[in-house]
Amino acid sequence: MPVIGVVMQKGGVGKSTTTLSLGTELGRLGLKILQVDMDAQTNLTQAVGLDPTKLTTSVFDLLMDPVRGVESAIQPTAFAVDIIPATLGLARAELILAGHVGRELLLRRALQLVRDRYDFILIDSPPSLGLLTLNTMAAADSLLVPLQAHIFALHAMAHLEETIALIQQLHPTVAIHGILMTMVDRRTSINQAVEQAARERYGNLVFETTIPFNIRLVEAPAVGQPIGIYAPSSSSAQAYARLAQEVRARYG
Ligand code: ADP
Ligand code: MG
């Protein structure tokens, strides 16, 4: 029952999209999945069709009280995966918890109580290295890093590696187990160069599956459906389905 944190210190690279799409496809393989929204932007929460302004419990409650907050924070979705959703108020957690001892271990403590029930737990994280990302990293057994197929992405990757080196001093068990190329457009030579460089540098840490740039992935969250439901025959839905197979094999 691995806990996978989806992290990258940069917005718009496909973290939330990957958490949702991969989680749904793993669910369709018959695995029991929990997704956790650790981003106050609530993109993941909205993308499964929940209205963050109408939630009575969320990941915020869990952070305030990991032991008692976790059960009620878990909610089913229409897509056979469970979610611990976020509300906009999550941003306050950083302030409230500042100065609390062990504040980066709250999510870890909460998930330890429920992880036996799930085959995979996927955590979506915000684009900054604040308390919420630290909680994600501390709770995760391994990290999945989306790498946007863009010319500057390798710099971002180097930056993230520095960050993770630091985290590993605190939590030696967390490791990067996969780099995922997202928004790949093979027609451009820049894309090809980035992918080639990533594979040369990181070898088989880079998932064989790459996620193509596909406008359906922009549309799907707006209607609150995962890509595998919204456009099952699209190139991106099929890519995430292949990724689910690869992830199951890799972490299996
Ligand atoms: P992050 O969580 O890292 O900020 P998102 O997953 O929210 O990134 O993706 C940023 C934007 O790009 C969203 O509008 C999303 O719908 C879109 N997107 C994500 N992956 C793809 C893709 N492979 N092709 C096209 N658009 C994508
Ligand atoms: Mg996001």
Side-chain angles (χ1 to χ4, degrees), residues 24-71:
T24 313
E25 294 304 324
L26 285 168
R28 277 148 69 112
L29 293 176
L31 301 171
K32 193 93 176 70
I33 305 302
L34 174 66
Q35 306 177 330
V36 185
D37 192 352
M38 282 292 273
D39 187 352
Q41 289 182 59
T42 70
N43 289 343
L44 179 67
T45 300
Q46 293 181 58
V48 299
L50 295 177
D51 180 348
T53 64
K54 299 211 168 95
L55 296 169
T56 50
T57 57
S58 72
V59 73
F60 180 82
D61 306 288
L62 172 160
L63 293 173
M64 293 304 126
D65 188 346
V67 175
R68 274 179 296 175
V70 65
E71 289 292 346

Side-chain angles (χ1 to χ4, degrees), residues 146-191:
L147 182 57
Q148 193 185 356
H150 178 278
I151 193 66
F152 297 119
L154 284 180
H155 296 283
M157 188 61 216
H159 191 61
L160 186 82
E161 279 198 337
E162 271 181 38
T163 307
I164 284 168
L166 222 146
I167 298 301
Q168 281 173 334
Q169 291 177 354
L170 300 167
H171 310 290
T173 47
V174 75
I176 296 187
H177 273 160
I179 297 167
L180 176 67
M181 307 286 308
T182 63
M183 306 184 199
V184 172
D185 181 352
R186 286 224 161 79
R187 291 170 303 184
T188 73
S189 55
I190 282 177
N191 267 237

Side-chain angles (χ1 to χ4, degrees), residues 12 15-17 39 41 43-44 124-127:
K15 287 184 294 296
S16 301
T17 302
D39 187 352
Q41 289 182 59
N43 289 343
L44 179 67
D124 188 23
S125 68

Side-chain angles (χ1 to χ4, degrees), residues 7-11 13 15 126-129 133 145 156 159-160 163:
V7 297
M8 175 49 123
Q9 244 187 295
K10 190 171 180 298
V13 299
K15 287 184 294 296
S128 59
L129 185 69
T133 301
V145 183
H159 191 61
L160 186 82
T163 307

Side-chain angles (χ1 to χ4, degrees), residues 43-228:
N43 289 343
L44 179 67
T45 300
Q46 293 181 58
V48 299
L50 295 177
D51 180 348
T53 64
K54 299 211 168 95
L55 296 169
T56 50
T57 57
S58 72
V59 73
F60 180 82
D61 306 288
L62 172 160
L63 293 173
M64 293 304 126
D65 188 346
V67 175
R68 274 179 296 175
V70 65
E71 289 292 346
S72 53
I74 297 176
Q75 310 196 10
T77 69
F79 317 108
V81 298
D82 289 347
I83 185 170
I84 299 180
T87 59
L88 296 170
L90 179 58
R92 281 184 299 137
E94 304 247 2
L95 282 172
I96 293 171
L97 294 168
H100 284 227
V101 175
R103 63 189 178 279
E104 75 283 3
L105 299 175
L106 297 165
L107 180 63
R108 181 190 179 86
R109 226 189 291 152
L111 293 184
Q112 265 162 2
L113 299 173
V114 298
R115 62 180 292 168
D116 287 354
R117 285 186 229 158
Y118 294 98
D119 293 307
F120 282 95
I121 298 178
L122 303 179
I123 312 168
D124 188 23
S125 68
S128 59
L129 185 69
L131 182 59
L132 298 171
T133 301
L134 287 174
N135 264 277
T136 301
M137 290 189 174
D141 304 311
S142 69
L143 305 177
L144 189 156
V145 183
L147 182 57
Q148 193 185 356
H150 178 278
I151 193 66
F152 297 119
L154 284 180
H155 296 283
M157 188 61 216
H159 191 61
L160 186 82
E161 279 198 337
E162 271 181 38
T163 307
I164 284 168
L166 222 146
I167 298 301
Q168 281 173 334
Q169 291 177 354
L170 300 167
H171 310 290
T173 47
V174 75
I176 296 187
H177 273 160
I179 297 167
L180 176 67
M181 307 286 308
T182 63
M183 306 184 199
V184 172
D185 181 352
R186 286 224 161 79
R187 291 170 303 184
T188 73
S189 55
I190 282 177
N191 267 237
Q192 285 169 1
V194 171
E195 185 176 345
Q196 199 184 338
R199 291 195 189 282
E200 272 169 21
R201 184 156 162 204
Y202 302 111
N204 58 16
L205 267 191
V206 182
F207 286 106
E208 218 167 277
T209 307
T210 62
I211 309 301
F213 184 90
N214 181 239
I215 203 69
R216 296 298 215 170
L217 277 172
V218 182
E219 298 165 0
V223 295
Q225 287 184 347
I227 189 69

